[in-house]
Amino acid sequence: MFFSFVDELRAAGISASMKEHLLLLEALDRDVIEATPEAFYYLARATFVKDEGLLDRFDQVFAKVFRGIASDYGVAPAEIPEEWLKAIAEKYLSPEEMEAIKSLGSWDEIMETLKKRLEEQQGRHQGGNKWIGTGGTSPYGNSGYNPEGVRIGGESRHKRAVKVWDQRAFKNLDNTRELGTRNIKVALRRLRRFAREGAADELDLDATVAGTARQGWLDIQMRPERHNAVKLLLFLDVGGSMDPFIKVCEELFSAATSEFKNLEFFYFHNCPYEGVWKDNRRRFSERTPTWDVLHKYGHDYKLVFVGDASMSPYEITHPGGSVEHFNEEAGAGWLQRLTNTYPAAVWLNPVPEQHWGYSQSVRLIRELMTDRMYPLTLDGLDEAMRELSRKR
């Protein structure tokens, strides 16, 4: 069983070495945990998982290899059989029937009654208004209807349960998932090059101690503050098809502004043209010519585009293709100017990578970016930062 566990971990992309395998066996042999599946799960996870982005993969492998162990150990006689929790069909009730169903009462009353039902009930039940089962109007079970009940297993139907009692699922972080601000900050830290520039306003403790010992009197030494010297240009697509991705873009923007002291950002719509802007409320009245951006910011800036690249192909390939104004030059020309001026450039796409092949415009942008398009996930952001850090 343990050999198959290691094989499944490796197949899932988790580095499981023989040393880690022997370490797990040694820990079990020395009884470092209590003999429960829960304790074994945490021991195995601590042994094999070195990256929090792999926790979800580990949980899936663990559930596959050790299926049934966690649910069979130490279960009280009043356990809830798994087959009870399978939905048969949703029972459709008339509005009059729904109104007739009354709330059971307070939280304490609901849980006390549930406890009694578990003790009394001996078999599977479907339908009805009392026992724990499926497709009924009882406050307990799933796939039925009650305005204030306890959902046991199944999926939420009416979003009215006061408590959900479901089988524990080992579900944590996955490096293919979209990011939160904290995880984005961790990924962006790959793109760091520290330097000390500016006014000497920070105490240099080591130099002060060395100078004092050498001179024989207090010799205070100061130094400039250490900060990330990387310079970043962030171009953000806004509006239209980007509306569903506002949250993740806000998280990325928040993380970037806190991680990079030298950050400049601009907005564009669908494809960069002759003008970009910093305030969406004044995007027509206060635009910055793209030529000014190219001339103002040096070649050492890293360039990051954030957008779904979903548009009419004519917006990229033809003059006048823009949906908002008549662009005298095709978007492809401006994109090439930007990437030529800033060789360290990537495009982050919030659309799942498996969908990119269905869009002609995404394929065009990928070609113009010389395939430097990455999904806006933990893993994709990590790869993008590696690309930007690559020496040229």
Side-chain angles (χ1 to χ4, degrees):
M1 177 182 290
F2 290 122
F3 280 121
S4 65
F5 183 38
V6 172
D7 290 340
E8 291 289 345
L9 288 172
R10 290 172 177 169
I14 299 175
S15 178
S17 67
M18 185 57 65
K19 179 180 179 181
E20 292 165 331
H21 173 64
L22 294 176
L23 181 63
L24 177 64
L25 295 181
E26 182 181 0
L28 293 173
D29 185 59
R30 296 189 179 186
D31 296 325
V32 299
I33 59 171
E34 61 181 12
T36 66
E38 185 87 358
F40 173 68
Y41 160 76
Y42 285 110
L43 174 64
R45 193 179 77 173
T47 303
F48 289 108
V49 180
K50 304 300 187 296
D51 181 354
E52 64 181 6
L54 299 175
L55 287 173
D56 185 58
R57 295 189 196 179
F58 175 84
D59 291 345
Q60 294 177 25
V61 172
F62 189 90
K64 176 182 178 182
V65 175
F66 300 105
R67 184 177 299 278
I69 293 180
S71 59
D72 293 342
Y73 179 87
V75 179
E79 70 173 72
I80 305 173
E82 182 180 352
E83 61 268 23
W84 289 17
L85 307 180
K86 295 179 180 178
I88 304 300
E90 182 174 9
K91 181 175 181 179
Y92 295 96
L93 303 179
S94 67
E96 292 77 14
E97 289 175 311
M98 291 183 181
E99 289 296 329
I101 300 170
K102 303 298 183 182
S103 298
L104 184 64
S106 68
W107 166 265
D108 292 336
E109 291 173 326
I110 290 174
M111 299 312 295
E112 182 63 28
T113 305
L114 173 59
K115 180 180 178 181
K116 292 179 180 178
R117 299 278 167 84
L118 284 171
E119 293 172 351
E120 297 170 2
Q121 189 170 345
Q122 301 298 321
R124 180 186 179 281
H125 187 76
Q126 178 186 355
N129 59 9
K130 177 181 179 181
W131 297 113
I132 303 165
T134 60
T137 60
S138 165
Y140 312 108
N142 70 75
S143 305
Y145 175 84
N146 192 284
E148 192 175 86
V150 178
R151 177 166 64 82
I152 302 177
E155 297 181 356
S156 178
R157 301 283 185 175
H158 306 286
K159 313 296 183 185
R160 293 295 302 275
V162 296
K163 181 173 174 58
V164 175
W165 186 355
D166 204 351
Q167 181 180 358
R168 180 178 183 270
F170 298 114
K171 186 74 170 179
N172 291 294
L173 300 179
D174 186 350
N175 57 5
T176 62
R177 303 294 180 189
E178 291 185 355
L179 307 173
T181 303
R182 176 184 173 276
N183 292 327
I184 293 175
K185 288 182 179 180
V186 173
L188 291 178
R189 284 170 189 166
R190 283 193 177 276
L191 192 62
R192 290 193 295 188
R193 186 177 69 251
F194 289 110
R196 297 188 182 277
E197 300 173 348
D201 53 5
E202 179 181 271
L203 175 65
D204 188 341
L205 183 60
D206 292 339
T208 299
V209 171
T212 301
R214 183 173 58 255
Q215 302 288 349
W217 63 79
L218 182 60
D219 184 16
I220 296 178
Q221 300 290 326
M222 304 296 288
R223 63 186 178 184
E225 182 184 359
R226 181 172 179 260
H227 64 270
N228 189 357
V230 169
K231 301 174 183 178
L232 187 67
L233 270 176
L234 187 62
F235 276 52
L236 299 158
D237 184 7
V238 291
S241 58
M242 282 296 293
D243 286 346
F245 308 112
I246 288 175
K247 182 176 182 293
V248 69
C249 289
E250 287 178 340
E251 291 172 345
L252 175 64
F253 182 70
S254 174
T257 52
S258 66
E259 286 296 318
F260 298 99
K261 183 177 182 179
N262 300 310
L263 169 69
E264 295 292 338
F265 70 93
F266 296 95
Y267 295 109
F268 68 97
H269 181 59
N270 286 349
C271 189
Y273 296 111
E274 68 279 2
V276 291
W277 58 93
K278 281 183 169 288
D279 188 340
N280 283 305
R281 294 170 297 180
R282 297 181 174 87
R283 62 194 180 99
F284 292 110
S285 60
E286 296 181 8
R287 290 200 174 211
T288 301
T290 307
W291 277 119
D292 288 357
V293 176
L294 294 170
H295 292 149
K296 181 176 181 179
Y297 303 104
H299 302 302
D300 55 340
Y301 271 80
K302 314 286 186 182
L303 177 59
V304 177
F305 294 99
V306 182
D308 60 359
S310 300
M311 67 196 91
S312 167
Y314 295 107
E315 296 183 58
I316 304 170
T317 59
H318 286 68
S322 172
V323 296
E324 291 194 319
H325 73 294
F326 186 89
N327 52 299
E328 296 183 357
E329 293 186 69
W334 286 106
L335 193 58
Q336 287 174 335
R337 287 191 185 102
L338 286 162
T339 53
N340 288 339
T341 302
Y342 308 105
V346 296
W347 188 295
L348 298 175
N349 194 330
V351 175
E353 189 172 5
Q354 62 267 29
H355 298 158
W356 292 357
Y358 300 114
S359 172
Q360 185 178 354
S361 62
V362 173
R363 293 197 296 269
L364 288 171
I365 294 294
R366 288 187 70 181
E367 291 176 6
L368 291 167
M369 293 296 301
T370 59
D371 211 32
R372 289 174 293 172
M373 180 180 286
Y374 302 92
L376 192 48
T377 63
L378 184 59
D379 196 39
L381 191 54
D382 188 61
E383 292 182 24
M385 295 306 103
R386 290 179 187 273
E387 169 62 30
L388 292 176
S389 301
R390 186 168 59 85
K391 291 184 178 180
R392 289 168 173 80

